[in-house]
């Protein structure tokens, strides 16, 4: 799960009950769930190369709790990961040259190094569930009962227009007070012409409030009749586009 409007992630784990099945372990016989997260600290344009510095710096950027850890490679970027009811054991480990086939297909360097600060451990009886929460500073997901969860039923089939509308929502995000479109993921974030082309789809879907919000956002970037071609963080100086103002 990804809570809306937050840089947070929640992963649920459930052990199915025996429910009378002879081929399943009895509910009162616990199993131990082991989770070892791998993390990086980079932009989507970069790769992690342990030898270039992270191998020495990152282990010292980890603070351990009983049920989790905080990773703070920079004061402006803090990651917290917790497993309520579980136990976290610090045990730093690296995986080198992890290959990403899709990156290779796209002509990018596909090999990155992954850092794991340790692992989580928790016993699970039949029918029990646990959750792993991860968030950046200030974006902790709202609290939920720690008694497990009920797996969601498979979604009902949707008509094509509804399915397209739902898919469109996944690319509309907040930028400060207004909205924008992650039009070029995974290579870049806001992209002027692509975002403004998407606005036509929002209008066709009846989402006029979001469309207006995006237009207000890009109007703030106007400079002598130009609009950004690509925005990197707060840097909107790349204006190598002739048609973004026309789409606007």
């Amino acid at each position: 799960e990804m809570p809306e409007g937050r840089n947070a992630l929640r992963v649920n784990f459930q052990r199915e009950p025996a429910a009378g099945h002879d081929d399943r372990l009895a509910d009162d016989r616990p199993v131990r769930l082991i989770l070892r997260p791998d993390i990086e600290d980079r932009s989507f344009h970069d790769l992690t190369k342990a030898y270039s510095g992270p191998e020495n710096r990152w282990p010292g950027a980890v603070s351990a709790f009983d049920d989790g850890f905080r990773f703070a490679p920079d004061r402006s970027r803090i990651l917290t990961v917790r497993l309520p009811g579980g136990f976290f054991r610090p045990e730093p480990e690296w995986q080198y040259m992890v290959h990403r086939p899709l990156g290779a297909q796209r002509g990018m360097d596909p090999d990155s190094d992954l850092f794991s600060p340790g692992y989580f451990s928790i016993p699970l009886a039949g029918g029990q569930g646990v959750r792993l929460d991860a968030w950046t500073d200030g974006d902790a997901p709202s609290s939920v009962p720690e008694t497990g969860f009920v797996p969601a039923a498979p979604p009902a089939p949707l008509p094509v227009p509804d399915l397209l509308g739902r898919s469109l929502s996944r690319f509309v995000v907040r930028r400060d007070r207004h909205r924008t479109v992650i039009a070029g993921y995974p290579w870049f974030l806001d992209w002027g012409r692509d975002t403004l082309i998407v606005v036509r789809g929002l209008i066709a879907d009846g989402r006029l409030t979001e469309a207006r919000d995006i237009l207000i956002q890009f109007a703030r970037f106007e400079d002598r009749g130009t609009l950004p071609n690509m925005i990197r963080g707060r840097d909107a100086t790349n204006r190598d586009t002739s048609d973004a103002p026309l789409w606007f």
Side-chain angles (χ1 to χ4, degrees):
E1 303 173 25
M2 298 186 69
E4 185 175 356
R6 298 175 184 268
N7 290 314
L9 176 70
R10 171 169 290 155
V11 184
N12 294 313
F13 299 87
Q14 180 85 11
R15 178 183 164 187
E16 295 292 333
H21 293 276
D22 294 336
D23 58 346
R24 293 185 182 179
L25 190 67
D27 291 343
D28 60 353
R29 295 184 61 186
V31 297
R32 183 162 297 277
L33 176 66
I34 304 291
L35 302 171
R36 176 177 276 279
D38 292 320
I39 58 178
E40 295 183 81
D41 175 48
R42 62 180 179 88
S43 81
F44 49 87
H45 284 298
D46 300 322
L47 293 172
T48 298
K49 301 298 182 183
Y51 64 82
S52 67
E55 202 162 29
N56 296 322
R57 296 194 310 269
W58 287 7
V62 176
S63 303
F65 321 122
D66 289 342
D67 65 350
F69 66 89
R70 178 176 290 116
F71 177 57
D74 183 275
R75 285 191 297 178
S76 64
R77 299 187 303 279
I78 300 175
L79 171 70
T80 303
V81 183
R82 304 194 91 135
L83 182 74
F87 172 74
F88 176 72
R89 179 181 177 85
E91 189 179 86
E93 175 180 293
W94 281 89
Q95 289 194 65
Y96 301 105
M97 299 291 286
V98 176
H99 187 74
R100 296 184 170 93
L102 287 178
Q105 290 178 18
R106 295 164 178 161
M108 305 166 70
D109 183 346
D111 301 314
S112 195
D113 300 334
L114 302 179
F115 173 60
S116 176
Y119 65 87
F120 294 91
S121 173
I122 190 169
L124 278 184
Q128 284 188 329
V130 296
R131 74 175 194 271
L132 181 77
D133 286 329
W135 68 91
T136 58
D137 196 34
D139 272 334
S142 58
S143 60
V144 297
E146 297 183 13
T147 55
F149 70 101
V150 177
L158 290 174
V160 171
D162 294 342
L163 185 61
L164 291 174
R166 179 176 294 187
S167 299
L168 186 62
S169 299
R170 300 183 183 276
F171 294 88
V172 179
V173 299
R174 285 201 171 276
R175 171 182 276 278
D176 300 324
R177 291 168 42 217
H178 299 291
R179 294 183 184 271
T180 185
V181 172
I182 303 300
Y185 183 83
W187 293 281
F188 39 75
L189 299 179
D190 320 44
W191 196 263
R193 66 185 302 273
D194 295 42
T195 296
L196 295 167
I197 290 172
V198 169
V199 168
R200 297 182 68 192
L202 291 171
I203 293 171
D205 197 38
R207 295 153 69 166
L208 303 184
T209 300
E210 289 177 307
R212 180 172 59 246
D213 210 27
I214 291 171
L215 292 176
I216 292 172
Q217 177 70 275
F218 273 81
R220 298 175 61 206
F221 289 117
E222 186 274 336
D223 181 22
R224 291 169 292 179
T226 68
L227 290 174
N229 179 47
M230 179 177 66
I231 306 171
R232 299 176 68 98
R234 298 186 181 279
D235 181 3
T237 58
N238 182 334
R239 294 174 179 265
D240 187 21
T241 174
S242 59
D243 56 345
L246 301 178
W247 284 110
F248 181 87

